[in-house]
Amino acid sequence: MTRATGTVVVVGSSIGGVRTAQALRTEGFTGRIVLLGRDADLPYDKPPLSKQLLAGSWDTDRITLLGTEAAEAAGIELRLGVGAARLDTADRRIELADGAALGYDAVVLATGAGARPSPWIAESGVHVLRSLADATALRRDLDVDGPVVVIGGGFIGAEVAATARTLGREVTVVDPLPAPIGRVIGGAVAEHFTALHHRHDVATCFGVGVEDVRGRAGDLWVRLTDGTELGAGTVVVGIGAVPDDAWLRDSGLLIDDGVVCDRHGRAEGSPDVYAVGDVARWYHPDHDEHVRVEHWTNAVEQAAVVAHNVVRPDDLRAHRPVEYVWSDQYDWRVQIVGRPGTATRHQLLGDLDGAGARGAAVYTDDSGLLRGAVTVNWPKALVICRTLMGAAATFDDAVSRLADLPARRAASTR
Amino acid sequence: MARLLADFEACQGYGNCITGAPDVYDIDDDGKVVLLRSEIDDADRPRVEEAARSCPVDALSIED
């Protein structure tokens, strides 16, 4: 049995929603596809918001995921600038914020996650970064000379710090953890990321919390828990994201920090409701637990699986990805595969220090299996580890495969 | 048969295509995509199309 006709509504116009709509066509769906977006902008890609777009090297056209013509060619109806207000799973309809309603045969929830709001309220000049509007507003303030304080030393914080530094700003990154990225890659390897900030003349206050932020754009004060006061023209708060699931509270769906789904991406107990991307908490069969993953690649891979499952309920696929995320910080392309944060032991290959760094940290635990890898400026090593992770290879195998790669930094050692 | 194209300048070595279609895409020592085949038949198209669409910088395309 296939479901090639009828109406599929995709709620959310970011990467997960757009890729789901496109993949439905690839899977042979010929019915009506409606892509609903609260954002009035044409669907756009988010990774460049903290990098090329914020730096001003790319314009908004370059980050468009689905233009009007491409949507028309694929038979995807765009309804932008209106959010979903309520989901009625019994009647299979979605009520929109403007009072209209849409019936569906299947619905894919891809509303993503929003920036965790700043708990510190100043008059102005305090930014979060998640949407194009956020990036545009932040860019305006970064154009004004004055120190920048970034609260939160995770991926977004580090990327914003790097971009602000490129724009000539004086930057300080604050985080209550002694090595912020250590949650993901372990404390020892995270030290190299702290050194990366310092090598680019970005100051860090790690292991210190923020007590208060006050003032206005151009004249802000950030008071830290150790009594330090940092003056700032602009403050950026990058302290995580919250799944956009509040509108589903009375839907009858199981919501628990995201929409709880089975391995096939179907909301528990509602076979016509699926979820994709940051808003989905699905059962990962290899980890034997429900997980929510805020990575671009996860949204794309899950979109393909869910689109297939919508069209082919007789041939359901499980979404069982190896986690993968990248981050571009200063002169480093960082790529992370697997779950290095759960490992107990790692080995470094190559070099994670200085200009021209190229290296990898490979992780394992008592099992002796490869549990993850972090690579810097070494995509080939990342691809090898990612392939090995998918094949349940051993740590020793991964280390020897990387050690066999051609001599590193060939270009700079000539 | 459909033709495979790659924009080698745009490629940044993210490697998503290789996870999706390891028989079609690979990566070289400099971190650039390698096309292992120049054409694919219709049966492979959905899978390869999805692999191409997983490129974060839109470096891959399929031409009729």
Side-chain angles (χ1 to χ4, degrees), chain A residues 79-163:
Chain A
R79 300 242 340 222
L80 303 174
V82 56
R86 202 172 156 267
L87 177 70
D88 184 337
T89 54
D91 278 351
R92 290 195 190 145
R93 48 182 244 137
I94 296 164
E95 293 170 16
L96 308 185
D98 62 4
L102 274 171
Y104 64 79
D105 296 290
V107 62
V108 181
L109 307 173
T111 42
R116 189 180 297 283
S118 169
W120 309 284
I121 311 295
E123 283 173 52
S124 60
V126 177
H127 296 261
V128 293
L129 180 52
R130 192 79 189 173
S131 67
L132 178 55
D134 293 339
T136 308
L138 175 57
R139 168 68 205 206
R140 227 170 7 238
D141 278 7
L142 288 183
D143 274 336
V144 181
D145 196 13
V148 175
V149 172
V150 178
I151 303 174
F155 291 126
I156 291 280
E159 291 182 354
V160 169
T163 304

Side-chain angles (χ1 to χ4, degrees), chain B residues 4-32:
Chain B
L4 299 174
L5 300 170
D7 180 342
F8 298 100
E9 287 294 305
C11 174
Q12 299 290 313
Y14 290 116
N16 282 347
C17 55
I18 299 158
T19 302
D23 55 328
V24 175
Y25 300 110
D26 198 1
I27 192 167
D28 67 16
D29 290 329
D30 297 324
K32 291 287 181 187

Side-chain angles (χ1 to χ4, degrees), chain A residues 19 26 324 333 335 386, chain B residues 12-14 16 27 49 53:
Chain A
R19 288 291 185 265
T26 304
Y324 167 61
R333 161 140 315 126
Q335 295 172 289
R386 197 171 168 191
Chain B
Q12 299 290 313
Y14 290 116
N16 282 347
I27 192 167
E49 208 164 78
R53 219 182 266 143

Side-chain angles (χ1 to χ4, degrees), chain A residues 127-399:
Chain A
H127 296 261
V128 293
L129 180 52
R130 192 79 189 173
S131 67
L132 178 55
D134 293 339
T136 308
L138 175 57
R139 168 68 205 206
R140 227 170 7 238
D141 278 7
L142 288 183
D143 274 336
V144 181
D145 196 13
V148 175
V149 172
V150 178
I151 303 174
F155 291 126
I156 291 280
E159 291 182 354
V160 169
T163 304
R165 189 71 199 120
T166 307
L167 295 170
R169 301 285 83 82
E170 187 186 300
V171 183
T172 304
V173 186
V174 182
D175 196 290
L177 293 178
I181 292 182
R183 276 171 295 203
V184 184
I185 60 173
V189 179
E191 294 296 336
H192 295 274
F193 286 74
T194 304
L196 175 67
H197 285 302
H198 297 163
R199 185 159 57 79
H200 288 89
D201 296 323
V202 166
T204 54
C205 297
F206 290 165
V208 189
V210 171
E211 209 157 82
D212 198 13
V213 180
R214 59 209 151 70
R216 66 188 72 81
D219 184 23
L220 288 155
W221 286 95
V222 180
R223 195 170 71 240
L224 307 185
T225 48
D226 66 358
T228 308
E229 294 229 348
L230 301 171
T234 300
V235 170
V236 187
V237 179
I239 53 171
V242 185
D244 188 356
D245 57 14
W247 66 285
L248 295 164
R249 256 179 213 138
D250 69 346
S251 63
L253 297 180
L254 182 57
I255 307 295
D256 177 16
D257 184 39
V259 180
V260 180
C261 297
D262 66 12
R263 67 185 68 198
H264 308 297
R266 298 177 301 185
E268 295 287 359
S270 298
D272 300 318
V273 180
Y274 300 75
V276 155
D278 294 5
V279 79
R281 176 176 294 284
W282 88 99
Y283 177 76
H284 193 308
D286 301 331
H287 299 327
D288 191 25
E289 62 179 347
H290 286 82
V291 295
R292 194 172 71 75
V293 176
E294 293 176 358
H295 299 161
W296 190 95
T297 298
N298 181 63
V300 169
E301 292 178 348
Q302 198 167 24
V305 171
V306 162
H308 172 88
N309 291 344
V310 168
V311 178
R312 296 293 306 275
D314 59 332
D315 175 36
L316 292 172
R317 288 182 188 161
H319 181 50
R320 51 196 324 157
V322 173
E323 294 80 358
Y324 167 61
V325 64
W326 76 86
S327 175
D328 297 317
Q329 304 174 16
Y330 308 98
D331 48 3
W332 280 15
R333 161 140 315 126
V334 181
Q335 295 172 289
I336 303 173
V337 65
R339 294 176 138 190
T342 66
T344 52
R345 187 161 70 85
H346 74 274
Q347 183 172 334
L348 281 179
L349 293 106
D351 182 3
L352 296 186
D353 289 305
R358 185 188 185 199
V362 182
Y363 295 74
T364 189
D365 57 18
D366 291 344
S367 70
L369 293 172
L370 175 63
R371 290 304 189 199
V374 177
T375 65
V376 172
N377 298 335
W378 203 2
K380 176 84 176 178
L382 183 281
V383 165
I384 288 172
C385 290
R386 197 171 168 191
T387 305
L388 291 175
M389 286 284 305
T394 64
F395 170 75
D396 291 343
D397 191 17
V399 169

